[in-house]
């Protein structure tokens, strides 16, 4: 694999309306594929809890630019879209969509480092390797950046509009010729109390396939256009006024553990539940011990807003390539369980 000199990413020129505060988005104009350079100065994010934990670590954009090589497709040596290109493309597009808003610097977390050597160092013993002899890149990367001037408050928790994405090279066939490359992109809200990520279905592209950064910017624009911010906020806000009894919560936990072992034909007839047994255990522990979202002290009840945050909190233990799928599933579960409390049947199996 060869180290490449990355060029600044260019994003489509989009003329967008200013978003009113705290949050309301009107209908956005159609995509205009005119390309021009976009400034990349950003406001640094405050240091907070990580939005994902598992086996990840935080890295800087400069580290990705200066210290990491970019994989290629082995059969034709065509370069992949790098992590830096991906992040800059999404950030630049967002800065066009929200031209008068404050946009923080991307926070980047990576995992599964792939190590190599330069050709000159092939025969050196490990003890003699210098830093310049080593090559690395990260198989999996997730980033997000906040737009803190677009926010809402739910149950005393400030939620900042947040945009980000995931790249996992393990989902690409790097042994073939260059083809469509896969990305995951989302727009949603981050709960600043705990840095849990709130992702809804219409704010999430689970498999975005593109050939280049121009196509990538176009797809990101379409996602931002389709995102229904009001609907997402209303869904989350409704959760704070519903309550689940301790018996119902215990029933949900037990059925969630049973779900993994159901016969396939029964499981297919039920709504999807992506949390693992370990994560359900984390939810159970947090029910009693979470600093922000544990059960109510004087009554054996818990609000559905707290249940949702227990689910998104447990999701922090997911690997990068599963994180957004489970974040979206947590939203579907919380909404479905809330509706089941009022007699709807779709998610009622989890409470019966």
């Amino acid at each position: 694999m060869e180290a490449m000199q990355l060029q600044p990413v260019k994003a489509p020129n989009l003329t967008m309306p200013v978003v009113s505060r705290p949050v309301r988005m009107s209908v956005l104009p159609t995509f205009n594929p005119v390309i021009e350079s976009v400034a990349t100065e950003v406001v640094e994010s405050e240091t907070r809890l990580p939005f994902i934990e598992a086996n990840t670590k935080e890295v800087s954009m400069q580290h990705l630019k200066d210290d990491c090589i970019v994989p290629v497709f082995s059969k034709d040596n065509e370069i992949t879209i790098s992590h830096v290109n991906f992040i800059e493309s999404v950030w630049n597009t967002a800065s066009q969509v929200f031209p008068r808003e404050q946009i923080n610097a991307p926070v980047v977390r990576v995992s599964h480092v792939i190590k190599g050597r330069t050709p000159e160092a092939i025969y050196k013993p490990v003890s003699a390797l210098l830093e310049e002899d080593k090559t690395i890149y990260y198989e999996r990367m997730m980033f997000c950046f906040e737009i803190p001037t677009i926010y809402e408050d739910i149950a005393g928790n400030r939620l900042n509009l947040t945009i980000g994405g995931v790249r996992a090279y393990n989902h690409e066939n790097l042994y073939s010729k260059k083809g469509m490359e896969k990305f995951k992109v989302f727009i949603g809200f981050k709960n600043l109390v705990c840095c849990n990520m709130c992702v809804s279905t219409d704010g999430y592209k689970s498999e975005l396939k593109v050939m280049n950064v121009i196509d990538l910017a176009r797809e990101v624009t379409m996602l931002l256009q389709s995102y229904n911010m009001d609907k997402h906020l209303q869904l989350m806000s409704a959760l704070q006024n519903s309550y689940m009894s301790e018996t119902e919560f215990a029933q949900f936990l037990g059925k969630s553990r049973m779900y993994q072992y159901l016969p396939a034909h029964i499981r297919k007839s039920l709504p999807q539940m992506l949390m693992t047994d370990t994560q359900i255990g984390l939810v159970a522990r947090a029910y009693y011990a979470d600093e922000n979202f544990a059960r109510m002290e004087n009554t054996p009840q818990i609000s559905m807003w707290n249940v949702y945050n227990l689910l998104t909190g447990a999701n922090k233990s997911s690997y990068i390539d599963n994180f957004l799928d489970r974040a979206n599933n947590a939203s579907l579960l919380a909404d479905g369980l809330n509706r089941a409390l009022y007699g709807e049947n779709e998610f009622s199996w989890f409470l019966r």
Side-chain angles (χ1 to χ4, degrees), residues 217-233:
R218 180 181 291 106
E219 291 290 334
V220 172
T221 302
M222 291 173 63
L223 175 63
L224 299 182
Q225 289 176 332
S226 66
Y227 176 56
N228 190 329
M229 189 182 301
D230 284 337
K231 180 181 176 183
H232 190 191
L233 287 169

Side-chain angles (χ1 to χ4, degrees), residues 9 17 87 89 100 124 127 141 177 187 217 243-244 249 273 275 295 312 333:
V9 175
I87 297 168
S89 180
R100 297 187 185 181
K124 282 187 177 182
S127 59
M141 181 277 301
K177 294 182 179 180
I187 176 171
Y243 295 87
M244 181 181 282
F249 186 78
M273 205 287 297
M275 293 286 170
R295 66 174 183 170
T312 54
L333 276 173

Side-chain angles (χ1 to χ4, degrees), residues 325-342:
D325 292 325
R326 289 180 180 152
N328 180 51
N329 185 241
S331 292
L332 294 173
L333 276 173
D335 179 49
L337 290 171
N338 188 45
R339 288 186 281 109
L341 291 174
Y342 293 93

